[in-house]
Amino acid sequence: EAEAAKAEAKKAADKVGTLVREAKGKAAEFAGRKEAPLSEEAQGVWDALPAGADELEDRIAELEAETSSTSADGNSIKEYERRRKEIEQLKTRVDAAQQAIAAQGGKVAGLEQAWRPALEEMVDRVNQRFGSCMAAFRCAGEVSLSDGRSLDEHGEPAGDDDFEKYKIHIKVKWRDGEQLHVLGEAGRDSGGERSVATMVYLISLQEINPAPFRVVDEINQAMDSTNERIIFKCVTEACKDGGKQYFLLTPKLLPDLDYGEDCAIQLVFNGPHNRRRDQFDLSRFC
C-alpha cells in the first residue's frame, strides 16, 4: 500500500510539473496582448504555481520525502504484524505450558494422596509414644509434621506447598507455666534436656523404624540422676517387645539401676596398670 501511494504521488507530481511548464511556456504568448486583467482569485492561483523548474523539482523532492516516510510507516506495520504473530505463538506456547503444569499438578496431587496419609499416621504414632514417654518425666512433648508452606503474618500456613521444606518438629515443655516450643529453639534447652528429648525421640521411632540394634554414645553424660534413671527405664521397656537392642556406651552408670534379665553389661578395662589378658583369670569371676 505504501509503495502504491508513493507511485501515485510521483505520477501526480509529474503531471503537475508538465501542466505548469506548459502554462509558463504559453504565458509569454499572452504577455503582449491587451487582455482583460485576471480576477483576484485567478491571480492567486497563478501566483501559487511554482515560478520555475527548480522550484518544481524542490516540490517533487518534498513529495518523495513524504512518500519515504509513508514507506517507513509501512515497515513499522510489517514489524507490528511480525511481532503480533510472534506474540500469538508465545501465547499458544504459554497456554500449552499451563495445561501441562495443570496436568502435572493433578499427578502430584494424586501421588500426595497416596503417601501423605501414611506419613501423617506414622508421625501421629511417634507423637503418641513421645508424649507418653515425656509424661514419665512430668513434662510434655509433641512431634508434628511441618509442611513446605510459608507462614503468614498470623502464623498460619499459606502459599504453595514445597515438599523439599518438609520437616519434623519436636516440641517440649519442661516446667509448668511454659508453652510448648521447638527443641533447641533460641537456646532455651539445657544440654541435659536436649539429651533427654533426643533419647525419648529415638525410642519413639522404634515402632515405625525397626532396627536390629541402636548404638547410643554417652547420652547420659549431661543428665541428672533422676532423668538418667527414667531414660534407662525407657530403654529397657522399649527392648521388652523383642527384636530390639540398644548399645549404651558410657563411662559411668548410676548405682542400683534396675537392669532386668535382658540387660548385659560389658566392662572395658584399659590402662597402664591393668593386667595383661593372659594374666587375667576369668574363672574367678564366673
Side-chain angles (χ1 to χ4, degrees):
E1 294 180 359
E3 293 297 329
K6 179 179 178 181
E8 185 177 353
K10 185 68 167 64
K11 183 178 180 181
D14 292 341
K15 184 176 181 180
V16 170
T18 300
L19 294 174
V20 170
R21 283 192 292 272
E22 290 178 358
K24 291 296 184 180
K26 293 182 178 181
E29 300 178 8
F30 296 96
R33 298 184 181 181
K34 302 292 186 178
E35 301 292 343
L38 296 173
S39 65
E40 292 183 2
E41 182 179 359
Q43 187 66 43
V45 173
W46 177 263
D47 293 338
L49 293 173
D54 293 339
E55 187 175 346
L56 182 61
E57 293 295 335
D58 293 340
R59 179 56 180 161
I60 292 174
E62 292 177 5
L63 291 174
E64 288 179 346
E66 292 178 2
T67 55
S68 296
S69 176
T70 303
S71 178
D73 293 338
N75 291 333
S76 298
I77 293 174
K78 291 180 180 179
E79 180 67 15
Y80 164 76
E81 291 295 334
R82 183 187 69 79
R83 294 189 178 185
R84 184 181 63 81
K85 291 180 180 179
E86 184 178 355
I87 291 172
E88 292 298 328
Q89 293 175 354
L90 291 175
K91 286 183 177 180
T92 302
R93 292 174 59 186
V94 169
D95 292 339
Q98 290 178 341
Q99 292 177 3
I101 291 173
Q104 292 299 324
K107 292 181 180 179
V108 170
L111 292 173
E112 183 178 358
Q113 290 301 317
W115 59 260
R116 180 77 179 251
L119 175 62
E120 291 177 344
E121 190 271 336
M122 286 192 295
V123 173
D124 184 62
R125 289 171 58 188
V126 173
N127 174 54
Q128 292 180 12
R129 183 65 181 272
F130 185 80
S132 62
C133 289
M134 289 294 291
F137 294 90
R138 298 182 180 179
C139 303
E142 178 182 289
V143 177
S144 61
L145 175 66
S146 174
D147 60 24
R149 292 177 294 175
S150 301
L151 299 180
D152 59 16
E153 57 183 3
H154 303 294
E156 297 295 330
D160 297 332
D161 197 1
D162 187 352
F163 298 128
E164 292 185 350
K165 295 182 179 179
Y166 272 49
K167 63 183 72 174
I168 293 293
H169 277 166
I170 302 174
K171 297 181 179 180
V172 293
K173 184 182 76 169
W174 303 107
R175 287 164 284 276
D176 293 336
E178 291 184 351
Q179 297 293 327
L180 283 170
H181 63 274
V182 177
L183 180 66
E185 185 180 57
R188 296 175 59 177
D189 308 297
S190 66
E193 291 170 342
R194 290 196 299 270
S195 296
V196 169
T198 301
M199 193 63 201
V200 170
Y201 180 67
L202 185 63
I203 295 172
S204 303
L205 289 177
Q206 184 68 50
E207 292 185 4
I208 66 168
N209 186 23
F213 64 89
R214 285 181 166 85
V215 179
V216 184
D217 186 18
E218 299 187 7
I219 192 69
N220 58 336
Q221 284 302 94
M223 295 182 188
D224 57 32
S225 59
T226 301
N227 289 337
E228 185 175 350
R229 288 184 184 279
I230 297 176
I231 282 293
F232 193 84
K233 183 178 180 180
C234 289
V235 172
T236 54
E237 289 292 331
C239 295
K240 285 183 178 180
D241 297 336
K244 306 179 183 67
Q245 296 184 78
Y246 278 83
F247 290 87
L248 175 60
L249 307 181
T250 178
K252 57 95 178 178
L253 283 173
L254 293 175
D256 301 325
L257 286 175
D258 184 11
Y259 295 104
E261 296 182 358
D262 297 328
C263 184
I265 301 175
Q266 301 291 335
L267 300 177
V268 179
F269 293 96
N270 192 16
H273 304 291
N274 194 26
R275 289 186 177 185
R276 296 196 311 270
R277 183 175 181 179
D278 57 353
Q279 296 177 349
F280 193 81
D281 187 3
L282 185 60
S283 62
R284 296 175 58 187
F285 302 92
C286 298

